[in-house]
Amino acid sequence: MRIEELLNHTGEWLRGTGPSAHIVMSSRVRLARNLADWTFPGKSVKKDLEAVLKVFSEAVGRIEALKGSTLFGMTELDQVDRQMLVERHLMSHEHASNPEGKGLLVTAEEVVSVMINEEDHLRIQVMRSGLNLSEAWDIINAIDDALARELSFAFLPSWGFLTACPTNTGTAMRGSVMMHLPALVMTKQINKVLAAISKLSFASRGFYGEGTQASGNFYQISNQVSLGHSETDIIQNINGLIRQVIEQEEQARQALLLQNKPMLEDKVCRSWGLLKTARIISSQEAIELFSMVRLGLDMGILKHVDHKALNELFIMIQPAHLQKIEAKKLNAFERDTKRAAVIRQKLGGKDV
Amino acid sequence: MTCDICGKKKATVHLTEIVDEQMSEMHLCEECARQKSAQMEQQFGLADLLAGLSDTVKPASSKENEKNPLQCSRCALPYEDFRKFGRLGCSECYTSFKEHLSGLLRKIHGSNKYLGKTPSSFQKENLAASSKEERPLLVVTETLEGLKEQLQSAIAAEDFERAAEIRDKIRNLEQKD
Ligand SMILES: [Zn+2]
Ligand SMILES: [Zn+2]
């Protein structure tokens, strides 16, 4: 697969369906693994990093579940290509900014990706649409088993999987869920909910669109601890917490409808109108409008809007994607113009 | 509005951060926010924990420490570097810094007991090993000194249940001597 081919579609996890898809955009499970025979990447020289890449790529060739996947060497990609992979949630900013000795494995449909030589030798992730951590765990667990048959992982029976940072030691698993919580924000209850989440040792943070611009209505919630609980326990705990947050958001949505339905409808429909007609738009503004349209769609105020198209726009409106679509470097103003055009086209806006 | 961190660029990102139930609002430029988010992802409170560690886990003897600083027997990472940067150098660091890490892991995760999956290669090794000897990888040789350090950190963490457990172990060892 060439990197350009990624542009023709977006990840399967953006299809906008699955359990509680009206509030949960996507679920992700990540595992960190290190190879016992090498020092961790941060303490390794280039030669060792390249050896790890080679050993991993040979192991992948013997694993049925990873057939048809592509391994990108980071130094073979230019800066825009690397940024594009970050924008697709396939790898981290850190992985893109210092490419030497690093790699990224991506399966077809972008369900599984593996960062090689980030902070740990392997960072495996599986993304699913909607609230689907258990399914993501089943997939990643099987891939981890297959890799463990080929590679010898750094592991102690007493402490589990050994990672560069002690916050990951143990299961070295992080489950996270991207939630859309506009009604909790509008009814000013969001801080109360986030405070409760932090009390339970879960982390929450905003969704970063263009680079890092936070949009108030998208929150990623993940577990913090990786010792003292099994993987499935941790996933059940996250699920339990997420279900409560879903319930709170649903109640807040009903409250908004009861209190001021015309106001809500006006906000939603104006956002829809803006997206279909704007000629210059920043990613911050776009994400705020997407949020309102998504809310309108999920509450039955708007119909005939394609959920999947809306989700895909989150990825496509980011700077590297716009530049890949246009196949040239764009400055900030050109990007804002191109972004508006991409949105209009995708949402069927008429070029009046 | 200018960025709270660098004080130079325009703040375009507005973050609510919650640490120890204290909520604080931050207004950051894109660049600082990116760094901040990477920190939040990977070092959630780790710096504080590592800083606090010096108070609870005292080196066995500070004089000896100057001459012979603790470091990993495989990758030679000095323990001081781990305390400064929060990153270990290799899997052997876990054995070299075992005493210190035990308390730290407990502080981070609320437990230092592993309950997750076991890779298949270890399942075999363990089976073979346990038939000869009793699971050698799990044997922790507890020294009186190590236990006393653990006791200090348990008390500092107000984990009195564990402190009582350790005190019993110390008594047992002292009786054997
Ligand atoms: Zn700044
Ligand atoms: Zn080491």
Side-chain angles (χ1 to χ4, degrees), chain B residues 6-174:
Chain B
C6 64
K8 284 178 198 152
K9 289 182 207 149
K10 194 170 159 250
T12 53
V13 178
H14 310 283
L15 272 181
T16 307
E17 191 179 26
I18 303 161
V19 177
D20 293 336
E21 296 170 39
Q22 288 290 331
M23 212 169 327
S24 60
E25 283 208 357
M26 298 190 80
H27 309 283
L28 310 175
C29 72
E30 271 198 53
E31 203 174 304
C32 293
R34 185 173 304 162
Q35 283 175 4
K36 183 84 191 156
S37 81
Q39 272 174 24
M40 280 164 75
E41 168 101 312
Q42 304 187 330
Q43 281 185 298
F44 200 78
L46 183 63
D48 297 339
L49 283 168
L50 287 167
L53 206 62
S54 55
D55 309 331
T56 53
V57 183
K58 289 205 185 71
S61 150
S62 51
K63 268 182 210 152
E64 195 182 309
N65 251 46
E66 275 161 31
K67 266 188 257 152
N68 206 352
L70 180 60
Q71 62 172 48
C72 173
S73 60
R74 178 180 168 197
C75 74
L77 179 85
Y79 181 70
E80 259 319 293
D81 279 17
F82 168 64
R83 262 197 48 205
K84 258 183 242 153
F85 305 111
R87 292 297 182 280
L88 296 155
C90 74
S91 52
E92 190 60 31
C93 288
Y94 279 88
T95 314
S96 296
F97 309 148
K98 188 171 65 191
E99 309 258 295
H100 296 74
L101 281 174
S102 178
L104 179 67
L105 289 172
R106 171 173 276 274
K107 273 195 161 187
I108 294 172
H109 301 282
S111 161
N112 55 12
K113 197 167 182 272
Y114 180 61
L115 294 173
K117 69 185 283 190
T118 300
S120 55
S121 56
F122 276 84
Q123 288 163 9
K124 275 177 237 143
E125 266 175 42
N126 276 356
L127 279 177
S130 63
S131 59
K132 278 182 246 149
E133 232 179 289
E134 205 184 296
R135 307 180 87 188
L137 282 161
L138 276 176
V139 173
V140 180
T141 41
E142 280 172 329
T143 60
L144 206 53
E145 222 157 65
L147 282 172
K148 280 179 181 165
E149 277 179 15
Q150 283 180 32
L151 180 63
Q152 285 299 318
S153 62
I155 292 170
E158 297 185 16
D159 187 346
F160 298 115
E161 203 177 310
R162 180 164 156 76
E165 259 174 48
I166 300 168
R167 198 168 298 136
D168 289 346
K169 282 187 191 168
I170 292 177
R171 277 197 196 126
N172 274 338
L173 266 184
E174 280 173 340

Side-chain angles (χ1 to χ4, degrees), chain A residues 74 109 128 138 184 186 225 277 279 290 294 298 347:
Chain A
M74 279 302 115
E109 306 262 80
R128 299 310 280 157
D138 288 343
L184 285 173
M186 282 190 261
V225 302
T277 53
R279 290 299 192 268
F290 290 160
R294 201 177 200 278
D298 292 330
L347 298 181

